[in-house]
């Protein structure tokens, strides 16, 4: 069982970027947490990050036939991208949405999530732990 973890713009700057919101752990720590979790759960994983909307769409499309599910933090594209929503719908792989911060308690423009419309579950406000929860949820979903 293979999982694709996708991170959108500016998540490569974790640790530097607004640490009060996103924590002090860097992107390498996120990748390590995801890889460790998947190894423990017997899952194959690829962790992908891009600052470019079209590249994320391409990655979702290429997941078809290679991955069984997707964990996605579309970052700012969460609130703007119909293209990412459509790509998730097109491949129809089970997808779980993650946000490090609790977007429900932030600005009005963050209250919209297009990607969520194609996701089976959302974790927000749990820090990097949200990725672990998302992977466990996806494994459970794929196993049932
Ligand atoms: C985020 C929340 C988004 O609103 C923001 O644009 C991000 C990160 C999060 O993980 O909390 O870049 O997705």
């Amino acid at each position: 069982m293979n999982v694709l973890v996708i991170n959108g713009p500016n998540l490569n700057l974790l640790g530097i970027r607004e640490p009060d919101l996103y924590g002090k752990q860097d992107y390498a720590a996120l990748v390590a947490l995801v890889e460790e979790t998947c190894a423990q759960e017997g899952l194959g994983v690829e962790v992908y990050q891009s600052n470019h909307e079209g590249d994320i769409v391409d990655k979702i499309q290429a997941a078809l036939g290679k991955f069984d599910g997707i964990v996605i933090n579309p970052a700012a594209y969460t609130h703007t991208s119909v293209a990412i929503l459509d790509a998730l719908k097109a491949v129809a792989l089970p997808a779980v949405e993650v946000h490090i911060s609790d977007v429900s308690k932030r600005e009005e423009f963050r209250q919209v999530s297009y990607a969520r419309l194609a996701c089976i579950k959302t974790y927000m406000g749990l820090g990097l732990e949200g990725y672990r929860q998302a992977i466990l949820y996806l494994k459970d979903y794929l196993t049932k």
Side-chain angles (χ1 to χ4, degrees):
M1 212 176 277
N2 292 316
V3 173
L4 174 62
V5 177
I6 299 177
N7 285 298
N10 301 307
L11 289 168
N12 54 313
L13 292 184
L14 277 180
I16 299 167
R17 176 192 186 201
E18 298 180 271
D20 291 350
L21 273 175
Y22 300 115
K24 292 192 178 124
Q25 288 184 287
D26 63 9
Y27 186 69
L30 166 55
V31 173
L33 173 98
V34 165
E35 288 179 347
E36 273 164 34
T37 304
C38 288
Q40 278 164 9
E41 297 300 318
L43 299 168
V45 69
E46 181 181 338
V47 191
Y48 176 80
Q49 190 275 331
S50 176
N51 294 325
H52 306 282
E53 184 176 16
D55 289 346
I56 295 170
V57 170
D58 287 344
K59 196 68 188 176
I60 294 168
Q61 289 187 7
L64 207 53
K66 276 205 251 169
F67 293 96
D68 303 290
I70 296 174
V71 170
I72 185 163
N73 182 349
Y77 291 137
T78 306
H79 319 298
T80 61
S81 181
V82 177
I84 290 174
L85 165 65
D86 284 350
L88 289 169
K89 281 185 164 178
V91 298
L93 290 167
V96 179
E97 179 190 23
V98 176
H99 298 287
I100 295 166
S101 66
D102 185 353
V103 284
S104 74
K105 301 213 169 85
R106 296 182 62 193
E107 301 96 323
E108 194 62 35
F109 67 85
R110 293 185 207 272
Q111 302 314 309
V112 171
S113 170
Y114 289 101
R116 193 168 306 158
L117 300 172
C119 289
I120 55 172
K121 179 94 178 160
T122 297
Y123 290 94
M124 61 173 82
L126 301 177
L128 300 191
E129 170 64 16
Y131 288 84
R132 210 177 68 81
Q133 295 292 326
I135 290 161
L136 297 178
Y137 185 89
L138 197 53
K139 184 190 173 186
D140 200 45
Y141 181 90
L142 290 167
T143 311
K144 275 179 187 154

